[in-house]
Amino acid sequence: MPDPEESSPDEKLYRIRHSLAHVMAQAVLEMREGSTLGFGPPIDDGFYYDFILSEPLTESDFPELEQRMRRILKKGQRFYQEEVPVEEAFARLEEMGEPYKREYAQELVERDTLQSLSFYRNGPFLDMCEGPHVDTTREIARDAFKLRSVAGAYWRGDSDNVMMTRIYAWAFADKETLDETVAAFELAQERDHKRLGRELDLFTFDDDVGRGLPLWMPNGTVIRDELEKLAVELEFKAGYQRVATPHIAKSGLYAQTGHLDHYRESMYPPMEVVEETPDGASLRESYMLKPMNCPHHHKIYAARLRSYRDLPLRLAEYGQVYRWEASGAVSGLARVRMLSMNDAHIYCTENQIRDVFAEVISEYDEAYRILGLKDYTIRLSRWDPDDPKGREKYVDAPEDWERTEAIIADLLDAMDIDYEDGQGEAAFYGPKLDVMFRTVTGRVEQLSTVQLDFAVPPRIGLSYVGDDGAEHVPYCIHRAPLSTHERFVALLIEHFGGAFPTWLAPVQVRVITVSENYGDYARGLVERMRANFVRAELASENDTVSKKIRDATTRKIPNLLIVGEREVAAGTVTLRRHGIREQLTLPFEEFEAGLAKTIANRSLEFTTP
């Protein structure tokens, strides 16, 4: 065991966190006498401990629990290790009334053929533990930890076992790092898309519909429609042709493309149907919900003879796909079982790959610029030939992998684009570029992707006639700059904190009257704006002005127009922007012109005419 004085900062922090877990367990047993212990390990930002509690403990108990922990730290308790022979250790755990520790001890002994088990004692607290720990609790800063949350956790992570109470805590070497972490966490809570989605009536889930199947409310549907409109416009300028395909297909199609071999676990089970043919026979067929749009697009490509003159051929669709995400992975809009994907497939020759990839990267840059997304990196996701499950994960074609990965890497180098290497992150049919966003709350998420597919086109029989008159197999480039509606809206909710720019906001303008006497003027403004396809509405005339403003602020409506006697007389409005204290009184025609310009340009800020 290294000397703590010679340990690295990470090792010292590990010891601090591990020791604090024991200190917390000691304090919990003081507060809830008769409770029993599970596991209590250090984690990346602190530690947790699992308990079977004699009485419930909630976050309202945290102040008392933290106070007890600080008193323990102040005592300067030393950590002592003791190696105890196996039979004596078993008897000790039984005497301590720790059945879960006893169960785990039995497993350790049988698995590793141990002759003894390690225990650590600090003050009156004793735990079976291998360590390491600090020498004394005086080494732990009393202001650099904070209890975070209470959660349920199954013993050993198995849902067949008893549910325990898990207490999470942050812990760092100093108060400054703790404060920064807590502030980032609070920001994440404030901007959590699940919470804001409920508050702003964007989407909902219902058990009768099914887990991971979002129901988009009118407000959320506006955002979806605006994003799709943006995608359609950008794709039209770039030469894409839009298509529409069914939500299902015969299982045989997915066998052809390789999805059944490499993606089966993420697909819904087949639907077996039997129908009677015209000659009276019974025809049994199997259908599946599509996990990807590409198999259908491949069939559109194959619907007629293609020439090299047709390529690159760009087919686009905001198509709905279905994936059987594991129950534990489903989370808000970030991981769902129905996705509306900003999909397109570009069929091209090998000589066109570099140019097409460069064009797609430029399309991504334009979309992110419009949305004000700047904090992202590129990852070149390759196959891993040494992966023991490689045959299940990837098409077995080493030469094709090496050639296509080299094409993309050379292009990135030529464009002077920095990228991270993502070995083992490729699609089953080829390498890809993943766009990794750092969210405002500090998480790094893979959102957008562009993939090079060398495997499926020949497998499904796609071809084109080259300038030599012979048949050749095209490459397929899969791209989705706006990812799926679900994941992208989740990102945007958190990025904007629910306060969307005017062009994207569900309600773009709300008109507020200072009294019902000015309702006719206000209704005229709303009707005029709606005639120009502005999402405008009139605030309730029954509420006070302050309540109207407060409600609009809570709903994060970007533009409020306040009208009273002065505004009616002068034909003006008083503009109040969300998050901005200063109000501006101006002619309505001037506001209307600025609003039109703001929406047309998809500006992030209000544009004056």
Side-chain angles (χ1 to χ4, degrees), residues 570-590:
T572 61
V573 291
T574 295
L575 171 63
R576 180 173 180 145
R577 296 270 298 141
H578 181 79
I580 298 175
R581 280 184 168 275
E582 295 77 12
Q583 298 185 159
L584 174 66
T585 299
L586 70 170
F588 176 71
E589 290 76 8
E590 188 175 326

Side-chain angles (χ1 to χ4, degrees), residues 543-552:
D543 295 327
T544 64
V545 175
S546 60
K547 186 175 181 181
K548 294 175 187 177
I549 293 175
R550 187 164 60 249
D551 178 68

